[in-house]
Amino acid sequence: MNPVFNDDLKKLFGGMRYRSVSTYLKDKFGEKTIKLAIDGGFTCPNRDGAKGTGGCIFCSDSGSGEFASDIEDQIRLFSDKWPRAKYLAYFQNHTNTYAPVSELREKYYTILANPKIEGLVIGTRPDCLSEEVLDLLSEISHTHFLWVELGLQTIHNETARLINRCYDLSVFDDAMRRLSARGIKAVVHLILGLPGESREQILDSVRYVASLPELFGMKLHLLNIVKGSQMEFTYPDYQPFASIEEYVNLVVDCLEIIPPEVTIHRLTGDAPRSILINPPWSFNKRTILNGINDRLNLLDSWQGKRL
């Protein structure tokens, strides 16, 4: 029997063909819910010498948080368009659990003291989740909405060494189990188009992460080569994909092997045009997303169709 895009899936997806995190949050909070990217002032263990130096080769000096800004400024910006919106504070730049627990506690709870903030999103690395950090995250999750984002990028250890990730896949697996044991939601980042990876290797990473029983969400991020990253000098002419169409086709194939209940947090990646080197079309975020939606409709496909 062929799989059918039925009414239950249409309801789960909120009229789309995949389960976007915006649909999930609207269902949970009853209003549009917006992540406010902030810079917590953290660094990273593969920048300060604890694990390595220079950071991952795709990261800019700001730690891939180019759009982070002040919370109140962001709320003012959004409030005219969405006066009833809810907000989550997103600790985005660098590794946001890489500090003494006392410092983490102060920074997290200072943000949560703002009555407009419903909860936290914390971007970090699997090797920066000590038992003390997990205790703090678990404590917060009992009183506020929370998820943790892990920058895996690829399951292939050879690629991980190339990009200077500085931890092996087993470390990620252990972090996912420990987060799950404490009931903490986990979102996993994958980068599509890393140097040396074939299309099938990319799909292998998606299959691996999508099969994890403790998975809450996934981010599929188009590789951007930006000024200030190591790739500016080591791969200045590298093109991860020949065209928008090639990237769109890959993302649709990825979505088809991700279970429908997994929330989708990103399907592309855009950097400010002032620092973008390649691919030159990646700033066309709306065009890319429209292309993904159009192809899903054309193929009568959806998230999880090939499972």
Side-chain angles (χ1 to χ4, degrees):
M1 178 181 294
N2 291 327
V4 176
F5 188 47
N6 58 33
D7 289 341
D8 288 341
L9 285 175
K10 292 176 183 178
K11 182 178 179 181
L12 181 67
F13 296 162
M16 303 178 69
R17 287 181 174 264
Y18 58 89
R19 195 185 190 200
S20 73
V21 68
S22 59
T23 298
Y24 168 86
L25 291 172
K26 178 71 180 294
D27 289 343
K28 179 168 184 61
F29 291 107
E31 300 288 347
K32 181 175 180 62
T33 305
I34 301 169
K35 286 194 308 178
L36 306 175
I38 59 175
D39 184 350
F42 299 102
T43 184
C44 201
N46 67 344
R47 283 183 175 271
D48 68 2
K51 293 287 182 70
T53 57
C56 295
I57 66 171
F58 51 79
C59 257
S60 67
D61 292 336
S62 63
S64 297
E66 284 80 18
F67 293 107
S69 60
D70 179 77
I71 278 189
E72 289 299 335
D73 288 343
Q74 293 183 74
I75 290 176
R76 282 192 291 270
L77 181 66
F78 290 121
S79 60
D80 287 343
K81 187 173 183 180
W82 295 291
R84 299 174 61 184
K86 307 287 187 179
Y87 297 98
L88 303 175
Y90 179 22
F91 283 88
Q92 181 182 22
N93 300 45
H94 298 302
T95 303
N96 295 278
T97 59
Y98 186 52
V101 172
S102 58
E103 179 182 341
L104 298 178
R105 175 179 291 277
E106 179 182 1
K107 289 183 177 181
Y108 295 163
Y109 277 106
T110 295
I111 295 298
L112 289 171
N114 187 324
K116 299 174 185 175
I117 301 300
E118 300 287 337
L120 301 181
V121 177
I122 298 174
T124 189
R125 292 165 52 95
D127 55 354
C128 293
L129 290 171
S130 68
E131 289 301 305
E132 293 77 14
V133 168
L134 288 172
D135 286 342
L136 174 59
L137 297 178
S138 179
E139 173 189 315
I140 292 171
S141 71
H142 283 91
T143 56
H144 295 83
F145 186 74
L146 170 77
W147 77 67
V148 171
E149 300 196 354
L150 299 180
L152 176 63
Q153 322 312 355
T154 178
I155 66 166
H156 304 289
N157 284 331
E158 182 178 352
T159 310
R161 287 189 289 272
L162 174 70
I163 65 175
N164 196 39
R165 194 181 66 188
C166 296
Y167 68 83
D168 288 338
L169 182 61
S170 60
V171 176
F172 165 78
D173 291 335
D174 181 61
M176 289 294 289
R177 286 190 293 267
R178 291 161 67 224
L179 286 165
S180 176
R182 294 171 183 261
I184 299 170
K185 295 179 178 65
V187 174
V188 179
H189 294 211
L190 293 174
I191 293 181
L192 311 187
L194 290 169
E197 289 206 342
S198 67
R199 191 175 193 279
E200 193 56 38
Q201 283 179 301
I202 294 171
L203 290 171
D204 284 343
S205 288
V206 174
R207 289 189 192 96
Y208 186 94
V209 173
S211 70
L212 297 172
E214 56 272 268
L215 182 69
F216 168 63
M218 290 181 70
K219 276 189 172 181
L220 304 181
H221 201 301
L222 167 63
L223 174 67
N224 285 314
I225 301 174
V226 297
K227 296 175 182 176
S229 70
Q230 293 182 48
M231 292 193 77
E232 177 184 5
F233 307 102
T234 55
Y235 293 91
D237 300 319
Y238 176 68
Q239 292 286 351
F241 298 96
S243 65
I244 289 178
E245 290 73 24
E246 181 185 1
Y247 181 74
V248 163
N249 292 348
L250 174 62
V251 170
V252 170
D253 286 350
C254 292
L255 285 171
E256 289 181 340
I257 58 176
I258 298 173
E261 63 272 14
V262 173
T263 52
I264 303 299
H265 294 237
R266 183 179 286 275
L267 290 176
T268 185
D270 55 327
R273 294 181 68 175
S274 60
I275 66 169
L276 177 65
I277 300 173
N278 278 319
W281 41 262
S282 74
F283 68 87
N284 291 313
K285 181 177 181 180
R286 181 49 52 191
T287 300
I288 297 170
L289 293 177
N290 287 342
I292 293 167
N293 290 324
D294 289 347
R295 183 163 178 80
L296 287 168
N297 286 318
L298 177 67
L299 299 177
D300 189 24
S301 189
W302 59 87
Q303 180 181 335
K305 181 178 182 179
R306 283 197 269 155
L307 294 176

